[in-house]
Amino acid sequence: MSSSRIFKLQAGPAFRYLVPIFCVYAFTVLLPLLISIYYSVHNEGGTEFVGLQNYVALAKDNDFWFSLKNNVIITFFCVVGQVGIAFLIASFFMTKLLKLEGLHRIAIFLPVVLAPIVTGYLWSLMYNYRLGMLNWLLDLVNIQPVLWLDNPKYVLYSVSVPLIWQYIGLYFIIFLAGMQNISKEVLEASEIDGATWFKKTAYVILPLLKNVMSVALILCITGTLKVFDHIYVMTGGGPGRSSMVLAQYAYNNAFTMSRLSYGSTISIGMLILCAIIVLVMSRWTGGGGER
């Protein structure tokens, strides 16, 4: 039997299964990306090629850099809150102190399955100045109610909390799966040597989860850089532009101000930033993976 015939027999079923998936991926991801690239190098009508003119304007756009700064601040909070807290919770699950583990896992992971818009509305109700739970608790201890979403001093912190709350469960599952793959002999040896929970976590578990940690950080950073739903529902980028992020800025330009070419340029700029972060993180963690 010829080699081409053997290839057809082996690759045929694979292609039949992959082609529909690739078509969906091409239609939902690749085609919009190509359209965005096209519009980013054309004028607003899409009729005249302007080259990198939109990107030059983007580099000089103060609102773009202000939105990026807000993204960086929110990303910092999310890295500490989502990845950091999830790691601590997962390491606590590796101890023998916790009871009803299944119930706790469901409770921690449940927010992940909620739609971001639902999460945004729920937290908007909690932040409500007159009827919100947070101000009700403050009132119980005779503290003046706070404008959580209407005060520029607090708004970035306020919109970060729902993001942290919703996605802790995702990174918790990632870390827990990684920790459960660590050899039990290694953990037992550290306990026999008298390592406390902190020392076992810091000097045994954490180094062995370096690759898992790098994946979690990449997912967290890139995911937070493109956050949109929560901000759109809770503040719409306000008050003023205090909580404006890159995705909201691109949306406003493309659909509110009908500047489709410039909105596409902002989107491509976000893509480039995410790609740079992934490359830097891969370089940073790549050396440690060599043995």
Side-chain angles (χ1 to χ4, degrees):
M1 185 180 293
S2 65
S3 59
S4 61
R5 178 65 175 170
I6 295 174
F7 175 78
K8 288 181 180 180
L9 289 175
Q10 293 178 344
F15 279 113
R16 284 198 295 271
Y17 286 116
L18 290 175
V19 165
I21 297 173
F22 177 76
C23 290
V24 173
Y25 177 79
F27 182 76
T28 58
V29 178
L30 297 181
L31 182 60
L33 177 61
L34 293 175
I35 293 174
S36 295
I37 294 174
Y38 172 84
Y39 276 110
S40 70
V41 294
H42 286 74
N43 63 354
E44 292 302 335
T47 58
E48 181 183 350
F49 179 78
V50 295
L52 298 178
Q53 181 177 324
N54 288 326
Y55 291 95
V56 173
L58 185 68
K60 299 177 181 178
D61 189 350
N62 291 330
D63 288 336
F64 173 78
W65 296 111
F66 183 83
S67 301
L68 176 60
K69 186 196 76 170
N70 287 343
N71 265 111
V72 171
I73 294 173
I74 295 173
T75 300
F76 172 78
F77 291 139
C78 287
V79 166
V80 175
Q82 292 175 0
V83 178
I85 296 176
F87 179 80
L88 292 176
I89 295 175
S91 63
F92 182 68
F93 266 69
M94 296 299 293
T95 66
K96 300 177 181 178
L97 302 176
L98 191 66
K99 305 298 181 182
L100 301 174
E101 290 186 12
L103 180 62
H104 290 295
R105 289 183 187 180
I106 293 173
I108 294 171
F109 188 76
L110 184 61
V112 179
V113 303
L114 295 177
I117 292 179
V118 174
T119 302
Y121 275 120
L122 288 174
W123 280 87
S124 295
L125 294 174
M126 294 182 65
Y127 285 136
N128 186 276
Y129 181 76
R130 296 186 181 279
L131 304 175
M133 181 182 294
L134 292 179
N135 282 336
W136 176 74
L137 292 174
L138 293 179
D139 185 61
L140 290 179
V141 292
N142 295 322
I143 297 178
Q144 196 71 16
V146 177
L147 292 169
W148 298 102
L149 298 177
D150 298 311
N151 191 328
K153 295 181 180 180
Y154 305 123
V155 67
L156 284 181
Y157 308 107
S158 300
V159 298
S160 298
V161 172
L163 285 167
I164 295 171
W165 173 80
Q166 180 164 21
Y167 293 111
I168 282 178
L170 175 63
Y171 300 103
F172 161 73
I173 293 297
I174 293 174
F175 286 131
L176 188 62
M179 291 178 185
Q180 289 176 343
N181 285 327
I182 297 176
S183 173
K184 292 183 179 180
E185 287 77 8
V186 174
L187 299 177
E188 290 174 356
S190 65
E191 293 175 357
I192 292 173
D193 289 339
T196 61
W197 171 82
F198 175 79
K199 289 184 177 180
K200 184 174 69 172
T201 301
Y203 300 113
V204 179
I205 295 178
L206 185 57
L208 292 175
L209 289 183
K210 181 180 179 181
N211 292 332
V212 177
M213 180 64 74
S214 65
V215 171
L217 288 174
I218 290 173
L219 290 175
C220 181
I221 293 172
T222 56
T224 309
L225 280 177
K226 60 183 182 181
V227 64
F228 171 76
D229 312 68
H230 298 79
I231 309 293
Y232 180 77
V233 170
M234 297 179 70
T235 66
R241 59 172 189 169
S242 300
S243 61
M244 183 73 68
V245 289
L246 291 176
Q248 179 75 54
Y249 188 50
Y251 174 87
N252 289 347
N253 275 273
F255 301 108
T256 303
M257 295 184 284
S258 298
R259 301 175 64 192
L260 187 59
S261 294
Y262 196 63
S264 299
T265 306
I266 299 171
S267 300
I268 299 301
M270 292 172 56
L271 178 64
I272 293 172
L273 287 173
C274 290
I276 292 173
I277 290 172
V278 171
L279 289 174
V280 170
M281 293 291 296
S282 299
R283 289 289 187 98
W284 179 51
T285 59
E290 298 177 359
R291 295 179 183 272

